[in-house]
Amino acid sequence: MCIPSYGENYLFKKTLHYDNNNLTLNNNNNNNNNTGEINQHHLPKAIIIGVKKCGTRALLKFISAHPDVAASLNEVHFFDQNYHNGLDWYRNQMPLSSPHQITMEKTPQYFINNRSVYRIAKTFSNIDLKLIIIIRNPIIRAISDYVQLTTKRKSNLTFEDYVFIKNSTIVNEQWTPLKIGCYSRYLIKWLKYFSLNQIHFVDGENLIKRPWEELLRVQQFLNLTIHIQRKHFYFNRYKRSFPCIKDHFHPTKNGCLGSSKGRKHPKIRDETRIVLENYYKTCNNRLKQIAKINFPWL
């Protein structure tokens, strides 16, 4: 891996040591777990780097039900917003975990942020970091992004008002929710530093319909024992039949997503859908080629 210097070496002048190829920082606030192992704050061994509005929160919630996973439930935004705080700060955002557990975090903004690619590669240059990318039909992803946007801004503009340049049928390619859906554009940058063997792609459409299938593949990718199975899932009929997880390992936890998830999507015009299908056709074909995947919606 060839990593250029961006003049940020000062961030790596912390005291580091390697323990079974796991990058950790010296920490005096240790706790013993039930097995007698010492719990520490570790840097993650796996990161969900994206994609926004594709199911990253659901994926993290589901995989967190595994007893050998310790996940930061908040988006840390270290590599895109908080890098100046240094590795000590980043490590301390992670939950306490034992040596045999996999520490994880998810920040979807990493996927589309140019500096995050380099910074993650440099931080984990000696570690076999695993990256997880969840993607879905880019049209549905854009609609979901639109719903969140208009809810926050209390906007009355329609989806088509954003998609097309005013008074035309020309796609507004500068609208970020549309740009993000061209996944191949961003993936190419990640493949400059990480091999496909280090990256796992999750089908966000299938995660909603048959989450146990996607969780099986994620557990295999992370070399975890298969704990999360079909019997652990049920569907919430009050939230567009979104999947929830029966967390037998933490039975007091709520297994469904929060109220901000599963919002109702507006119906878009058939003409708009056809235009966007053509718009994303080249991007989707390129994605299949470079990612070596062929999800049904691609």
Side-chain angles (χ1 to χ4, degrees), residues 152-204:
K152 289 182 177 180
R153 296 183 180 178
K154 302 187 185 307
S155 171
N156 293 321
L157 294 176
T158 67
F159 181 69
E160 281 78 9
D161 288 334
Y162 285 100
V163 168
F164 299 111
I165 295 174
K166 191 174 182 179
N167 299 323
S168 77
T169 57
I170 301 173
V171 173
N172 180 10
E173 297 187 57
Q174 297 307 308
W175 188 43
T176 300
L178 285 186
K179 290 170 63 177
I180 293 175
C182 187
Y183 307 124
S184 58
R185 174 187 302 156
Y186 305 98
L187 179 61
I188 289 172
K189 299 175 183 178
W190 288 90
L191 291 178
K192 291 179 181 178
Y193 299 103
F194 298 94
S195 70
L196 277 177
N197 291 333
Q198 292 176 269
I199 303 174
H200 177 71
F201 298 92
V202 175
D203 183 350

Side-chain angles (χ1 to χ4, degrees), residues 16-56:
L16 307 180
H17 71 271
Y18 290 89
D19 180 14
N20 295 327
N21 293 324
N22 177 39
L23 184 60
T24 63
L25 299 177
N26 289 333
N27 178 23
N28 295 324
N29 299 320
N30 299 333
N31 292 306
N32 291 327
N33 58 28
N34 294 332
T35 64
E37 295 176 321
I38 296 177
N39 289 337
Q40 291 182 304
H41 295 288
H42 296 85
L43 289 180
K45 297 177 182 177
I47 303 177
I48 301 174
I49 61 172
V51 175
K52 178 186 177 185
K53 308 310 297 178
C54 288
T56 59

